[in-house]
Amino acid sequence: MSEIRNYTLNFGPQHPAAHGVLRLVLEMDGEIIERADPHIGLLHRATEKLAESKHYIQSLPYMDRLDYVSMMCNEHAYVMTIEKMLGLQVPVRAQYIRVMFDEITRVLNHLMWLGAHALDVGAMTVFLYAFREREDLMDCYEAVSGARLHAAYYRPGGVYRDLPAQMPKFKGASKWHDESEIAALNENRQGSLLDFIEDFTNRFPGYIDEYETLLTDNRIWKQRLVNIGIMSPERALQMGLTGPMLRGSGIAWDLRKKQPYAVYDQLDFDIPIGTNGDSYDRYLVRIEELRQSNRLIRQCVDWLRQNPGPVIAADHKVTPPPRTEMKEGMESLIHHFKLASEGFSLPAGEAYAAVEHPKGEFGIYMVSDGANKPYRMKIRAPGFAHLASLNEMVRGHMLADVVAVIGTQDIVFGEIDR
């Protein structure tokens, strides 16, 4: 008789459910997982090291490329660290714009997570629905920054520019759309960007209801998620989990409430928490976060309508002067040239700033030796800690459950392989 023994299975790195280039080495007893060993480094881009050879503004676009579905939230932590070291005051309007786009980014992230997670588990329709809504929000990104994905919109001291007074429209008939279809596409684009975002916030709760109709009480969805990947509150804390991964285990930790930054302490929203710490609870937490983000965006829109003002600090040693001044005044031209060529220097010292990123606590630890580029930069990425818990979460489950657990962790490899 041949002996019965465990065998080793490679999951990824080329796998549609690996959410990037994750390689898992699974030790299996038949269909049951005995041990899971995550291998990382296949996407490594040395972001932290590259930052040491670039001045502070040049490193900003690298932040977008970390978690590439939560772009502006990454930027927010980076500029907050710089502002902390400089003691720079950010105009209130810029802070409201940042919060509004942080929450738009949270919705973008959770829609991507929801579509991909459902697709991993075998439900395709939700993926198509989620991307329908993502298109509108990507248009908001494009309206303020010119880019749909890697915005580089936040700046130390504020944001790159104010919100546009006119929402860009679709132009002219083509072989894909006739005039009536173009008119229908432009129906909610007749006003400003704020009008467009407000229209979205009116429609979005109905879309969330659609996702819940498809999934929340779906018996196949519940069979695949309930009691899968359970993390007790104590173990979740010990493993350094944050964001929905921690709140799904019943711990109401959210930096927007516990360590408020920007203007979150002036806005009204709730923190959803789970009870069982399983994949289904984490799904419910993120669904409710979509609703809370919609509330926050709506409050920011209302405030921004009533309160015009500057959107970037007036200290031109750190922020560029307006282009009209730069083209007419010698001193402004010098400021512009020095900022573009050399950037600015931070005082010697160190600082850490973190934001409540859609995936958890995303922080930047900066060490400066007084030069115009960091001596050392360390990124605290939430996905890195979450991936470390994968072994515990999948042990004893079936192979198919590994896919569900990777989905519930909402892993993006840009920030893990930084």
Side-chain angles (χ1 to χ4, degrees):
M1 266 186 64
S2 62
E3 61 171 314
I4 297 169
R5 59 192 176 86
N6 291 350
Y7 62 94
T8 302
L9 179 76
N10 274 307
F11 178 103
Q14 298 299 328
H15 191 288
H19 290 238
V21 283
L22 168 63
R23 177 181 176 225
L24 277 180
V25 180
L26 302 173
E27 189 179 307
M28 304 187 67
D29 176 8
E31 187 79 359
I32 306 296
I33 313 291
E34 295 283 314
R35 195 170 72 89
D37 184 12
H39 285 217
I40 64 172
L42 294 155
L43 188 70
H44 184 51
R45 289 178 294 191
T47 305
E48 295 168 338
K49 195 68 187 169
L50 284 166
E52 294 172 19
S53 60
K54 291 177 169 44
H55 69 65
Y56 291 100
I57 298 176
Q58 284 176 328
S59 291
L60 182 85
Y62 279 89
M63 299 302 115
D64 294 311
R65 289 153 177 82
L66 290 166
D67 176 356
Y68 35 75
V69 286
S70 304
M71 298 70 65
M72 290 201 202
C73 289
N74 304 337
E75 294 173 23
H76 200 167
Y78 181 74
V79 297
M80 273 171 55
T81 312
I82 292 171
E83 287 155 4
K84 197 171 185 177
M85 294 185 81
L86 285 170
L88 193 60
Q89 290 297 313
V90 180
V92 181
R93 183 174 173 84
Q95 295 193 36
Y96 271 93
I97 291 173
R98 284 180 179 182
V99 168
M100 182 174 76
F101 271 98
D102 276 9
E103 295 308 315
I104 285 174
T105 305
R106 195 178 312 279
V107 173
L108 277 167
N109 180 94
H110 284 0
L111 288 175
M112 181 72 193
W113 155 81
L114 181 68
H117 188 24
L119 195 63
D120 288 347
V121 174
M124 185 163 184
T125 310
V126 187
F127 186 79
L128 303 173
Y129 279 28
F131 268 71
R132 175 189 63 188
E133 277 69 81
R134 275 174 61 86
E135 281 302 305
D136 279 349
L137 297 177
M138 286 294 181
D139 287 346
C140 298
Y141 259 54
E142 191 173 8
V144 294
S145 71
R148 283 165 54 84
L149 207 64
H150 299 319
Y153 177 55
Y154 294 8
R155 293 286 188 280
V159 294
Y160 163 56
R161 61 179 177 186
D162 208 345
L163 305 174
Q166 184 63 52
M167 187 66 189
K169 296 186 179 69
F170 291 97
K171 298 271 172 55
S174 67
K175 63 181 178 181
W176 295 284
H177 298 293
D178 61 27
E179 291 288 356
S180 62
E181 289 172 323
I182 293 290
L185 287 169
N186 285 331
E187 192 177 338
N188 57 0
R189 295 166 182 267
Q190 302 304 315
S192 66
L193 173 65
L194 286 175
D195 295 329
F196 182 77
I197 294 173
E198 184 176 12
D199 176 71
F200 179 84
T201 60
N202 292 333
R203 291 181 282 123
F204 191 50
Y207 296 146
I208 302 172
D209 293 341
E210 286 180 6
Y211 312 147
E212 291 221 70
T213 302
L214 287 166
L215 294 178
T216 302
D217 289 323
N218 183 314
R219 73 174 189 274
I220 302 171
W221 182 248
K222 290 179 84 167
Q223 283 164 356
R224 291 298 306 272
L225 297 191
V226 172
N227 292 333
I228 300 297
I230 294 174
M231 285 298 275
S232 69
E234 299 76 24
R235 197 68 190 122
L237 279 172
Q238 288 166 358
M239 295 293 287
L241 306 189
T242 51
M245 291 290 292
L246 183 61
R247 293 192 286 275
S249 294
I251 295 175
W253 178 260
D254 188 310
L255 294 183
R256 295 172 296 171
K257 288 279 193 190
K258 304 295 185 185
Q259 298 171 12
Y261 55 95
V263 288
Y264 277 112
D265 54 347
Q266 294 165 46
L267 299 170
D268 182 34
F269 64 103
D270 300 318
I271 304 301
I273 59 168
T275 51
N276 303 318
D278 60 4
S279 295
Y280 188 68
D281 271 19
R282 289 187 284 273
Y283 156 77
L284 293 174
V285 162
R286 289 188 178 102
I287 287 288
E288 182 56 29
E289 283 191 9
L290 287 171
R291 298 188 190 277
Q292 296 301 324
S293 289
N294 201 59
R295 270 177 76 188
L296 283 162
I297 293 166
R298 190 60 182 269
Q299 290 171 63
C300 291
V301 167
D302 292 342
W303 190 93
L304 288 163
R305 279 193 197 288
Q306 307 296 327
N307 298 274
V311 295
I312 194 159
D315 179 0
H316 296 320
K317 294 278 185 254
V318 180
T319 64
R323 291 192 74 80
T324 48
E325 288 180 23
M326 183 266 285
K327 293 184 178 184
E328 292 171 4
M330 188 51 154
E331 192 170 323
S332 294
L333 180 63
I334 292 167
H335 278 310
H336 178 91
F337 178 78
K338 294 283 277 183
L339 272 175
S341 58
E342 294 176 8
F344 49 81
S345 297
L346 295 189
E350 57 191 285
Y352 175 78
V355 299
E356 187 62 40
H357 182 281
K359 291 174 171 58
E361 180 179 334
F362 179 92
I364 301 283
Y365 171 63
M366 194 92 76
V367 180
S368 169
D369 56 2
N372 66 337
K373 47 180 80 79
Y375 174 75
R376 179 78 176 88
M377 186 178 83
K378 173 76 175 73
I379 297 162
R380 194 274 176 204
F384 189 75
H386 297 164
L387 189 61
S389 69
L390 191 74
N391 178 42
E392 286 190 25
M393 291 178 76
V394 301
R395 202 179 294 158
H397 287 309
M398 311 282 274
L399 177 59
D401 297 326
V402 174
V403 174
V405 169
I406 292 170
T408 196
Q409 288 198 351
D410 192 12
I411 287 169
V412 164
F413 255 72
E415 66 171 19
I416 294 169
D417 275 351
R418 61 201 178 280

